[in-house]
Amino acid sequence: MRVTADPADVLEAERVILPGVGAAGFAMQRLHSLGLVEALRRFERPLMGVCLGQQLLFEASDEDGDIGLLGLIPGRVTAIEARPSMPSPHMGWSRLTKRRDDPLLEGVSDGEWAYFVHGLVCPDSEATIAAADYGQAIPAVVNHQNRWGCQFHPERSSRTGARILRNFLELPA
């Protein structure tokens, strides 16, 4: 494993995890300044976004106005609809419900727990392979071609997250 901000390293990698904590506008500005946007768009092997990293895979975000994202998965990221019993941000443990089989979810059962911290949500679309319920369907895991995303933090999600990370590392490059 290697942490890098070098576009050449990204293009040569066997797989890439795009992490994320923060705001989409700042993240995209930083990716542009480092020359990583085009490298990520051209990357053809397994790519997984985590939290904000999942959101960055989509086309645009309502965060901070209208922010253009990587455009790797169709759709727009929007704010979670806050409710008295379910405030925004969504912070804490929620159960996953699988929508369809996918190698990333191999060995993960319906009802397993994952740890979320986010105030925005990706569109619930055919890319959604697992969801969580937070007063609305939260696309918890998405897949489009060789791009996957986890809205939750697998690194903080105990056995479930460890299994998902292992599955990602075992995907054919």
Side-chain angles (χ1 to χ4, degrees):
M1 182 176 91
R2 183 195 261 127
V3 176
T4 186
D6 183 336
D9 287 346
V10 167
L11 288 170
E12 293 173 8
E14 186 176 301
R15 62 196 77 247
V16 168
I17 294 178
L18 179 61
V21 172
F26 177 79
M28 287 304 297
Q29 178 184 33
R30 185 79 172 128
L31 290 173
H32 277 292
S33 73
L34 294 169
L36 288 168
V37 170
E38 284 310 311
L40 290 167
R41 286 177 176 158
R42 290 179 32 218
F43 189 74
E44 295 181 0
R45 289 172 294 285
L47 168 66
M48 181 168 71
V50 172
C51 194
L52 175 61
Q54 173 178 290
Q55 295 172 14
L56 296 177
L57 299 176
F58 286 82
E59 295 170 312
S61 176
D62 289 346
E63 187 175 23
D64 299 326
D66 183 20
I67 303 294
L69 304 176
L70 293 170
L72 302 174
I73 301 177
R76 173 176 284 281
V77 176
T78 58
I80 289 177
E81 185 180 326
R83 298 180 178 155
S85 63
M86 300 190 166
S88 181
H90 171 206
M91 189 169 5
W93 295 89
S94 291
R95 290 185 183 271
L96 300 177
T97 302
K98 289 168 71 170
R99 297 252 180 103
R100 62 181 164 92
D101 289 334
D102 188 274
L104 193 70
L105 298 177
E106 185 68 35
V108 176
S109 301
D110 275 348
E112 290 195 32
W113 295 91
Y115 187 79
F116 292 79
V117 180
H118 65 112
L120 289 109
V121 64
C122 299
D124 192 6
S125 69
E126 62 188 44
T128 304
I129 60 175
D133 180 13
Y134 192 70
Q136 68 183 75
I138 302 292
V141 187
V142 298
N143 170 246
H144 180 71
Q145 298 172 350
N146 65 332
R147 282 103 182 201
W148 286 265
C150 291
Q151 182 59 68
F152 58 90
H153 286 269
E155 76 282 7
R156 296 188 55 141
S157 295
S158 189
R159 180 178 71 235
T160 302
R163 179 62 192 237
I164 288 169
L165 290 171
R166 183 173 4 141
N167 289 346
F168 178 72
L169 293 175
E170 293 173 355
L171 290 170

